[in-house]
Amino acid sequence: SASSLAAAAVAGAVRGALGPRGGRALVLRPDGRPLLTRDGRRLLEALCLQPPTARLMAAAACRHRGATGDGAKTFVLLLAAVLRGLRAAGGAGRALPDFERRVLEPAAALGLRRHLLSAFPGEEAEPRVDLAALEALLDAYLRGRVGPGERRRLARLCREYLGRCAARRPPALRLLGRHFEALHAAVPGLPLDGSAVLPGVVLRRDFAAYSPASGAAGAVVVTEPLHAGPSAPGVELVVGSEGQYEAARRWCEARTEAAVKRLRSSNVGLLLSSVKQQDVVIYYAKLYGVSVVECLSAEEVALVREITGVSPYSPFGDNGCSEITDTAAVTFCRPLLLGSKRYAHIGFASSACAFQPHCLVLCGPVDGVNEQHAAAIQGAFTMLQQLFKTVDGREECRSKGESQSDALDVCSRHSSATQKQLTVENICCNSNQVSEHQLKTHRGETDTQIVDSALKGSENPAGIQTASQIPSNPASHSEELNVPCRGAGSSTDAQKPHAKCEHSGEMHKGYESDLPVDNQKNYGTAVLTTDNANTVTVCERLDVGKDLEKASCGIIPFKHEEGCVSVAQNYSSSIIEAGSVLPVGGYFEILLHYYIQYYAKQLQQSAVTVISSVVADALLIIPKSLHGTTEGNSFAKFYLKTTNALRKNQPLPVNEKGLESVYCKYQLVISVLHCVTELLSIDLIIGVKRPLQKIEDNDSDDDL
Amino acid sequence: MSRLEAKKPSLFISDPLTKDTVSQSLSLLNRILKSCYGPAGRLKQLHNGVGGYVCITSQSSAILGRLSVSHPVLKVLTASVQNHIARFSDCGLFTAILCCSLIENFKSLHVPSCTVIKISKHLLSLCTDYLKSEACGCRVSVDFSNLKTLLCLARSILTSKPACMLNATEVDHLAMLIVKAFMFTIPCHVETKAVLGKCVTVPVKGRRVLDSTVLPGLLIETPEIQFAKLLSVKRISSDTIKIALFCVSMSGDLFNPEEGTITVHHRISLEMSELNQLLNVGKQLVNDEVGLVVCQKVIHPSLKQYLKENQVMAVDRAGLSVMEPLSQMTGSKPIASIHSFSPSCYGSLKDVCTKSFGSKHFVHLIPNDTVVCSLVLCNRNETAWDELKCACETAEHVLQLTIKEPLALLGGGCTESHLASYVRYKTCSLSTSSFKDVDCSQTQYQLIADAFCRSLESVACSLSHDDEILTDMVYGHCWLVPSGFPSVSNWSDLLSKCGCGINSNTQNLNWRLLQPHFGSPTIQSCPKEPSVDAADLLTLDCFAAKYSGLQVAVETANLILDLSCIIEDQN
């Protein structure tokens, strides 16, 4: 009950900033600088909460926000509502995992699915966000993050930025998210309308030396001073005669001159330095027409290195005669006056992952607003990355015995509820094809630990498995060779390949063309998914597709993102497919509320039913607070309209243009439930005097 | 070992705008700023309790920079205005007063802040679209072939700063100097991208304002030059002097903190060798027929003596600030090495002479191409000089902004009252679809539009501190009733010219009192554009600064109205 009270207090603090009608918070930092924000994570951090349970909740909310880019405030509200509900119901928290498996997942996979829209309209092998969907997503996302007068302009700006950077796929979005700090410039004192997208990169330094002719030449990055005197710190120079000393100094300067000359002769027109260069270097650079930007921040250097692929040039590393080859192609380089400061504006020829570097210039009356806008846009990049994810793994951490018996339970229920028409022969045959194919593609790969998945396969007593599960074993064994390219998540996937009879042939072709190219990328994304902690699970739902028009169960032997999405249009075994979106404004919560109740009715177990009603009611807190601030009963109207439409099987009455990612939303519910489980399982809080040592968890890193 | 301290929990204040402290401090700030506004503005004396420097001013930059604001909401407001001043120099008070009035007026309406923000954003776009459009009745285009408008701009800025203590002739003199200095900084040979030169202000305090002057080129203060009565400088031709610019120290010191230990054998003097090297540099300079050597840092006395003997003038301790204009003006590259330098680094000057102002002595470097000039600014005392310098820099900046966008707005409150009547007229004839756009009722829209206009008018009203202010129904301009007359019904007897000076009292313009506290009649017709007849003494404001100031004021007001809570970190 202490945790319930703490959660209610925290929720009260963030409620004011929630939703399109929420206001923003003015955070006064310890150094007195004001920060404006509506970001739940910032708010929770700024509150400096003291009660241990509240801190735990805030940490969980921030973790969720960090992983998905959205939803810290919603997290807290939902958490408070669930805790309150559980307290009122008299604590049935132990049944939460059961609820998740038996009610929540079917509700999402079977119920929610038919209402979902996709943000990837094209049938491309590599999905990218549709422009119209992008605008709707950004608009809805920014609505909760910036003021009402700024939202539209920022959404347009952000869409233009993404369009011009050609960043509508995960690799480029990740790059943007990582380097946005260096990819935007803030100008305080100008109205928001002055904001613009500029081609190239704006470095937050003026040129130390500038020559206009250096535009179309190459650029090098240096991380050490080009000039070194005759003696250095820690080095003793013994001078034998006056002439000797003079000659040493002369030689040092001549060496610097030669270094600059060499740059020029290698067609290098721009020197990007992370350290301050001495006056002599600037002098020679001016003399030989080389532009210099010095004292670059680590982020800027990292950005330049990533988009151009050059490594830092070491001036005295080699013999000093050969031509410098590791240069970045520069299309233009000029000083740029933003506000009253001068910056170096540099255009790099496009390079890695077709990313076109652009700089976002954000204008706002005060720095605090610019910070808010920049953080919101950076969050939007994280949110867009989530769009490419699917909810499909099974969690590893559960005890095996329990999960097996559950699987039995669930499977038998499903097989009785849905008459499966797959024949054993067919699937066997198909999976054999699959495995052959995989062997072919991945023969070169070395195998690592997939003992896990093999073990699990053998542990499954054959008798328990339904007919369609049996053929999964050959496929999972054959995947052993495939695993290294998919990371840790594969051991889960290996358990449950599905077969879709008619389409398997085509799919193989698809893989053939996809895999060699995408291996590297897929690996990266798979790692990222597992990295984000809460990989949500799908149990073996052979009937997942049953409720869809096409009575099919998808075969996805490869559960990596791109491959999965290319077939996901027709058949999928995931709970939530990549690119799934819903209209914003509480539709997700009401739908989930409805379907949780629907699926809970089919269960007899009382504990799960209790939890179901608690969670279902708690979910309504979100649309309630979104609608609550305006005229009295708008929430009730909205609720009735939506549920009526659901009962009559009509399309949802939507008058919202904004969209939100269902993955984020679903992930939020799961994270909240995990946090509740965690909170309820704590029985004693012990204060300690010494700082707690963080225990390094090596295994999580090694697994990846 | 790191010391861990428990963090204090933060202070959480919800709905800060409903609190009394905010409205009190906001209205206090508003009153202070309003009383400073305009040519008749009251001066503020700023000083701290323990004595020291006293500042007498009416400029927003000086006041806001020195005022310590404690409330976080006001901190945001002042930070926003200060950022605006940093960008545009001008219209700081306008922005601040408008912002305060908007917050006060909107707050008293009790309409949800979300709706207020949407509507005020819409009203702002009405204003900005109008100001940008050709049909705008409160802007004039600036003709650079005619200096009159430029002089008007400079004069308006000087007169609006009463703490400069200038009379009419002094204002005229300084306005002329400012425009002249501005003209110097425009490069003669314009390439693809023109870069304006620089005007350096040289302080001379304790002299008459009319002694101020503008000189092409740079003045470098050199206390010792007074002894050298006659300047003998080696010239290449009658109007060319070669100049070498050094940014490295020529003092002969060996100390370099970055370097390691140097062990020197007995009887070896590195200082000696360093000096020899310097003298070698001197020889090379003499051989290259350099006439003037300017060093950013110190020159060794021996080298100085050597150069002097060879008719090379040496100026040292020039400082970093003159290096850039000097290199721009002479075309020379600052030399950073005393071991080798090429003759390509030298630049050229037209002439060098000495100048004295008051007790100060200067070397005057006269360039061939005058993109750099020096404004020798005199005023009687320190505080008035500071104020004047600020005003001159503002005027210089405004002229630079005007060359980018050759427009000016009517001053004297006319732009504000004209805009207000335009907005009133527009909102009367708004279609219902636009209410749907911003998701509000017509009543709400009218209420907020009225508050918006009253805020604009209250800026115009702050121009007068005792007198009554009127507005006419034809042009929507602002008229000041001379003080000392009782309230009469026939105003046309008293009025001669409107605030900006463009309209004179020739017809009955149907005046009404401009009082921001009462509702005003609906306006049936769009305010007209006056026929511009090259009126001489127009009061003009910088277009870019006011345009941006209007936007910043509305955006900042929205920002503050949007605040739902304040979290103060107590650590």
Side-chain angles (χ1 to χ4, degrees):
Chain A
S1 72
S3 58
S4 161
L5 288 177
V10 180
V14 296
R15 184 174 286 124
L18 182 81
R21 289 180 191 82
R24 58 183 118 203
L26 173 61
V27 178
L28 223 59
R29 285 177 274 209
D31 56 0
R33 282 179 306 147
L35 167 75
L36 291 152
T37 188
R38 288 180 66 188
D39 181 5
R41 180 166 55 169
R42 292 269 181 113
L43 288 177
L44 290 173
E45 280 166 3
L47 282 172
C48 297
L49 296 166
Q50 265 192 329
T53 41
R55 259 159 50 190
L56 191 69
M57 288 170 211
C62 294
R63 207 160 47 231
H64 170 76
R65 160 69 177 73
T68 60
D70 198 5
K73 284 166 291 188
T74 319
F75 186 102
V76 174
L77 282 187
L78 192 58
L79 181 66
V82 171
L83 285 174
R84 192 170 53 230
L86 280 177
R87 192 167 65 140
R94 265 167 296 113
L96 266 173
D98 272 359
F99 158 75
E100 194 181 320
R101 249 193 317 281
R102 296 184 179 189
V103 182
L104 186 62
E105 286 174 5
L110 309 179
L112 211 54
R113 171 181 293 265
R114 76 186 83 167
H115 303 284
L116 301 186
L117 314 166
S118 179
F120 309 146
E123 298 279 322
E124 297 167 67
E126 267 189 82
R128 54 179 200 168
V129 193
D130 174 40
L131 267 184
L134 186 66
E135 178 149 28
L137 278 163
L138 287 172
D139 194 73
Y141 180 83
L142 292 174
R143 204 180 288 189
R145 240 137 256 283
V146 299
E150 300 139 32
R151 185 239 315 166
R152 200 170 291 172
R153 169 84 188 133
L154 266 190
R156 225 182 300 138
L157 205 66
C158 190
R159 194 190 62 142
E160 187 196 344
Y161 184 66
L162 287 174
R164 286 177 64 178
C165 285
R168 280 151 70 190
R169 292 204 175 94
L173 281 171
R174 263 199 303 283
L175 193 149
L176 271 183
R178 240 190 348 264
H179 291 298
F180 190 62
E181 196 53 42
L183 278 169
H184 82 275
V187 186
L190 292 181
L192 179 62
D193 271 347
S195 307
V197 178
L198 297 179
V201 174
V202 174
L203 301 172
R204 269 161 228 195
R205 290 281 166 180
D206 191 12
F207 288 100
Y210 176 65
S211 75
S214 61
V220 290
V221 178
V222 293
T223 50
E224 51 187 307
L226 280 185
H227 177 78
S231 65
V235 177
E236 190 182 7
L237 176 75
V238 182
V239 181
S241 72
E242 282 149 16
Q244 192 187 12
Y245 179 68
E246 206 49 55
R249 291 192 59 179
R250 204 177 279 277
W251 182 80
C252 285
E253 284 197 5
R255 187 171 67 156
T256 307
E257 185 177 3
V260 177
K261 221 188 231 170
R262 183 166 160 233
L263 286 177
R264 189 66 265 194
S265 64
S266 310
N267 197 28
V268 171
L270 178 63
L271 187 71
L272 299 170
S273 165
S274 62
V275 292
K276 171 124 184 69
Q277 297 290 347
Q278 269 152 325
D279 285 345
V280 187
V281 178
I282 307 298
Y283 165 64
Y284 283 120
K286 274 185 187 159
L287 213 59
Y288 289 102
V290 177
S291 301
V292 181
V293 186
E294 50 183 14
C295 306
L296 293 177
S297 67
E299 289 96 42
E300 287 169 324
V301 172
L303 170 72
V304 170
R305 286 186 59 181
E306 181 150 358
I307 58 179
T308 60
V310 296
S311 43
Y313 161 67
S314 133
F316 310 119
D318 51 7
N319 56 10
C321 327
S322 58
E323 194 166 286
I324 306 157
T325 47
D326 200 10
T327 62
V330 170
T331 48
F332 62 84
C333 119
R334 56 187 174 228
L336 175 75
L337 192 73
L338 283 181
S340 52
K341 277 200 204 117
R342 293 218 310 195
Y343 297 92
H345 186 195
I346 292 154
F348 290 105
S350 70
S351 53
C353 62
F355 174 74
Q356 305 281 338
H358 277 73
C359 180
L360 188 61
V361 179
L362 286 173
C363 300
V366 271
D367 276 322
V369 181
N370 285 330
E371 249 173 89
Q372 184 189 15
H373 292 168
I377 290 175
Q378 195 166 14
F381 297 150
T382 315
M383 181 273 294
L384 287 176
Q385 285 172 43
Q386 310 307 311
L387 214 56
F388 293 84
K389 289 184 184 163
T390 50
V391 182
D392 60 358
R394 170 180 267 289
E395 225 163 47
E396 294 290 293
C397 55
R398 282 190 196 141
S399 72
K400 249 163 224 160
E402 190 194 323
S403 77
Q404 268 174 17
S405 63
D406 282 339
L408 168 68
D409 223 31
V410 170
C411 290
S412 55
R413 184 172 62 80
H414 285 308
S415 49
S416 65
T418 64
Q419 293 94 37
K420 207 157 304 300
Q421 305 285 316
L422 299 170
T423 60
V424 176
E425 290 84 16
N426 228 339
I427 300 169
C428 275
C429 160
N430 281 325
S431 357
N432 284 338
Q433 279 174 24
V434 171
S435 52
E436 266 172 39
H437 190 75
Q438 285 163 353
L439 287 168
K440 232 183 281 166
T441 333
H442 298 287
R443 198 153 287 160
E445 311 266 12
T446 54
D447 58 336
T448 49
Q449 20 67 309
I450 6 76
V451 195
D452 202 23
S453 79
L455 270 178
K456 267 186 202 153
S458 58
E459 255 176 34
N460 281 336
I464 295 172
Q465 303 218 332
T466 51
S468 46
Q469 260 182 318
I470 297 166
S472 70
N473 284 330
S476 75
H477 288 302
S478 70
E479 276 195 2
E480 289 181 17
L481 289 176
N482 177 32
V483 164
C485 80
R486 292 197 286 127
S490 61
S491 54
T492 356
D493 307 337
Q495 276 191 53
K496 37 203 149 359
H498 297 257
K500 159 83 179 166
C501 315
E502 309 93 68
H503 290 276
S504 49
E506 292 159 39
M507 284 178 54
H508 293 164
K509 261 178 220 146
Y511 290 126
E512 205 160 23
S513 55
D514 271 352
L515 273 169
V517 189
D518 290 333
N519 268 345
Q520 201 51 44
K521 215 176 277 173
N522 294 336
Y523 180 66
T525 42
V527 167
L528 199 92
T529 323
T530 46
D531 210 16
N532 284 339
N534 308 314
T535 342
V536 182
T537 66
V538 118
C539 36
E540 178 59 14
R541 292 284 148 66
L542 285 176
D543 55 337
V544 154
K546 270 284 147 121
D547 273 6
L548 289 172
E549 303 72 28
K550 299 178 185 169
S552 61
C553 41
I555 161 173
I556 310 286
F558 299 87
K559 286 252 175 84
H560 51 66
E561 290 164 28
E562 272 87 0
C564 175
V565 169
S566 62
V567 283
Q569 305 292 331
N570 296 326
Y571 23 77
S572 164
S573 66
S574 51
I575 294 179
I576 288 161
E577 295 159 14
S580 302
V581 288
L582 265 180
V584 74
Y587 287 98
F588 172 84
E589 285 82 6
I590 291 204
L591 285 173
L592 201 59
H593 164 86
Y594 180 82
Y595 284 111
I596 284 177
Q597 286 185 328
Y598 180 83
Y599 282 96
K601 265 184 219 152
Q602 303 177 354
L603 289 181
Q604 268 82 50
Q605 213 179 332
S606 69
V608 178
T609 335
V610 170
I611 296 250
S612 301
S613 64
V614 165
V615 176
D617 290 340
L619 277 169
L620 292 183
I621 190 80
I622 311 296
K624 248 182 220 164
S625 18
L626 288 181
H627 287 263
T629 45
T630 52
E631 305 85 69
N633 56 354
S634 71
F635 165 70
K637 268 189 214 151
F638 171 72
Y639 176 74
L640 284 177
K641 227 174 20 179
T642 318
T643 41
N644 272 338
L646 281 174
R647 262 187 219 117
K648 290 179 196 151
N649 236 342
Q650 286 167 345
L652 291 180
V654 178
N655 47 10
E656 279 286 350
K657 284 196 207 78
L659 295 173
E660 58 191 350
S661 157
V662 177
Y663 175 85
C664 292
K665 283 285 181 185
Y666 185 73
Q667 207 58 278
L668 178 100
V669 176
I670 298 287
S671 307
V672 167
L673 292 182
H674 288 186
C675 183
V676 170
T677 318
E678 197 181 353
L679 283 169
L680 292 181
S681 47
I682 294 171
D683 75 327
L684 184 62
I685 297 163
I686 305 170
V688 287
K689 287 278 189 292
R690 261 184 301 169
L692 287 177
Q693 295 281 308
K694 204 176 180 186
I695 297 151
E696 297 290 325
D697 48 338
N698 296 316
D699 45 18
S700 67
D701 284 346
D702 290 349
D703 272 2
L704 306 177
Chain B
M1 244 196 75
S2 63
R3 209 161 56 102
L4 276 178
E5 250 180 75
K7 275 196 163 184
K8 281 183 226 142
S10 301
L11 184 67
F12 183 88
I13 309 163
S14 62
D15 293 323
L17 287 189
T18 53
K19 307 278 185 295
D20 274 348
T21 46
V22 181
S23 29
Q24 277 162 13
S25 37
L26 194 68
S27 74
L28 176 66
L29 182 71
N30 198 7
R31 261 183 288 137
I32 293 176
L33 295 174
K34 270 183 176 174
S35 67
C36 290
Y37 195 51
R42 307 286 199 263
L43 305 187
K44 303 286 168 287
Q45 177 177 330
L46 299 163
H47 67 123
N48 64 11
V50 291
Y53 181 72
V54 173
C55 168
I56 298 173
T57 186
S58 69
Q59 291 190 53
S60 53
S61 56
I63 293 175
L64 293 178
R66 290 176 172 90
L67 216 57
S68 53
V69 194
S70 58
H71 201 281
V73 169
L74 293 192
K75 265 186 192 160
V76 171
L77 199 156
T78 50
S80 169
V81 176
Q82 280 177 301
N83 285 333
H84 167 84
I85 297 167
R87 295 289 92 81
F88 295 98
S89 304
D90 198 20
C91 294
L93 281 176
F94 164 80
T95 309
I97 297 171
L98 181 59
C99 185
C100 289
S101 309
L102 281 171
I103 296 170
E104 285 185 339
N105 285 337
F106 285 155
K107 205 155 61 77
S108 61
L109 293 179
H110 304 295
V111 177
S113 65
C114 181
T115 317
V116 173
I117 290 164
K118 277 184 193 161
I119 297 172
S120 66
K121 191 89 191 162
H122 189 255
L123 293 168
L124 175 67
S125 67
L126 268 185
C127 293
T128 50
D129 289 348
Y130 179 63
L131 288 175
K132 282 277 180 194
S133 75
E134 282 294 320
C136 176
C138 56
R139 67 172 205 195
V140 289
S141 54
V142 176
D143 179 10
F144 277 90
S145 62
N146 185 349
L147 288 183
K148 264 185 191 162
T149 30
L150 294 184
L151 281 172
C152 284
L153 270 170
R155 201 186 294 120
S156 308
I157 288 161
L158 289 173
T159 44
S160 70
K161 315 277 190 264
C164 295
M165 309 282 178
L166 302 177
N167 59 31
T169 36
E170 287 168 342
V171 166
D172 283 342
H173 179 72
L174 278 179
M176 188 67 90
L177 288 185
I178 287 164
V179 173
K180 203 168 152 191
F182 172 66
M183 290 300 178
F184 272 133
T185 61
I186 298 171
C188 305
H189 315 289
V190 176
E191 287 144 39
T192 46
K193 208 175 171 189
V195 180
L196 288 182
K198 203 173 152 67
C199 171
V200 181
T201 308
V202 180
V204 177
K205 291 162 192 173
R207 308 259 299 180
R208 291 187 311 142
V209 177
L210 290 176
D211 289 339
S212 306
T213 177
V214 169
L215 297 169
L218 265 183
L219 288 173
I220 303 176
E221 193 176 348
T222 46
E224 46 197 296
I225 219 82
Q226 55 180 309
F227 304 114
K229 287 275 184 274
L230 259 171
L231 265 185
S232 52
V233 175
K234 197 190 289 171
R235 286 158 203 269
I236 290 180
S237 64
S238 63
D239 62 345
T240 317
I241 298 170
K242 234 186 216 180
I243 173 173
L245 203 55
F246 285 86
C247 60
V248 72
S249 167
M250 300 173 92
S251 63
D253 275 348
L254 285 169
F255 178 68
N256 191 346
E258 281 167 33
E259 290 184 5
T261 1
I262 298 178
T263 310
V264 185
H265 286 219
H266 186 54
R267 264 188 291 185
I268 293 174
S269 162
L270 294 184
E271 284 80 8
M272 217 36 226
S273 90
E274 194 71 11
L275 183 59
N276 279 336
Q277 181 55 37
L278 282 176
L279 289 176
N280 284 341
V281 170
K283 257 176 221 155
Q284 192 184 339
L285 290 171
V286 172
N287 287 342
D288 289 343
E289 296 187 303
V290 172
L292 175 67
V293 176
V294 180
C295 181
Q296 182 189 333
K297 293 164 186 171
V298 181
I299 302 181
H300 195 283
S302 317
L303 178 60
K304 247 186 189 175
Q305 186 60 35
Y306 174 80
L307 290 172
K308 198 177 166 192
E309 282 164 8
N310 291 281
Q311 280 86 48
V312 181
M313 191 172 156
V315 179
D316 65 346
R317 300 172 213 243
L320 186 61
S321 57
V322 294
M323 292 307 276
E324 205 201 326
L326 201 55
S327 126
Q328 189 185 6
M329 180 176 92
T330 59
S332 55
K333 297 191 180 83
I335 299 166
S337 157
I338 57 165
H339 294 97
S340 68
F341 51 90
S342 75
S344 65
C345 301
Y346 301 144
S348 68
L349 272 179
K350 195 176 173 189
D351 201 4
V352 178
C353 60
T354 54
K355 281 259 159 56
S356 302
F357 295 97
S359 55
K360 288 182 173 177
H361 303 278
F362 300 90
V363 181
H364 183 199
L365 311 179
I366 304 164
N368 288 310
D369 189 7
T370 58
V371 284
V372 177
C373 68
S374 303
L375 173 64
V376 181
L377 199 60
C378 310
N379 208 344
R380 288 167 208 95
N381 60 46
E382 183 114 4
T383 52
W385 188 86
D386 287 343
E387 186 82 357
L388 184 60
K389 176 177 182 265
C390 201
C392 289
E393 279 171 357
T394 303
E396 200 71 42
H397 194 183
V398 162
L399 292 179
Q400 283 167 8
L401 290 170
T402 309
I403 204 169
K404 273 189 209 150
E405 203 167 7
L407 292 170
L409 287 172
L410 300 178
C414 288
T415 295
E416 289 85 356
S417 57
H418 181 89
L419 259 188
S421 32
Y422 173 77
V423 171
R424 281 188 206 281
Y425 159 73
K426 268 285 174 191
T427 49
C428 285
S429 55
L430 217 55
S431 64
T432 44
S433 68
S434 34
F435 302 130
K436 283 225 180 78
D437 260 4
V438 287
D439 190 22
C440 68
S441 67
Q442 186 170 1
T443 337
Q444 278 177 330
Y445 194 95
Q446 291 293 355
L447 265 176
I448 290 160
D450 185 56
F452 186 87
C453 295
R454 276 189 283 127
S455 311
L456 270 176
E457 284 165 350
S458 81
V459 183
C461 286
S462 359
L463 275 175
S464 98
H465 301 281
D466 306 314
D467 320 334
E468 275 179 311
I469 279 211
L470 308 177
T471 181
D472 66 82
M473 303 294 273
V474 179
Y475 301 111
H477 277 216
C478 182
W479 303 73
L480 210 71
V481 182
S483 55
F485 292 96
S487 205
V488 283
S489 55
N490 195 3
W491 278 313
S492 62
D493 299 340
L494 298 175
L495 301 171
S496 61
K497 277 203 166 185
C498 70
C500 64
I502 208 166
N503 292 315
S504 47
N505 179 16
T506 48
Q507 47 185 317
N508 191 3
L509 293 172
N510 192 7
W511 289 280
R512 68 173 176 87
L513 270 177
L514 196 59
Q515 277 173 325
H517 305 294
F518 302 106
S520 62
T522 50
I523 290 169
Q524 304 303 329
S525 62
C526 185
K528 280 189 209 156
E529 185 177 3
S531 51
V532 181
D533 45 334
D536 265 340
L537 288 163
L538 284 187
T539 307
L540 293 178
D541 282 340
C542 176
F543 181 84
K546 203 156 228 179
Y547 183 78
S548 180
L550 176 70
Q551 286 173 296
V552 165
V554 176
E555 274 181 23
T556 310
N558 285 348
L559 200 78
I560 288 170
L561 288 170
D562 194 28
L563 291 181
S564 71
C565 65
I566 298 176
I567 300 173
E568 261 182 88
D569 201 320
Q570 307 267 299
N571 293 298

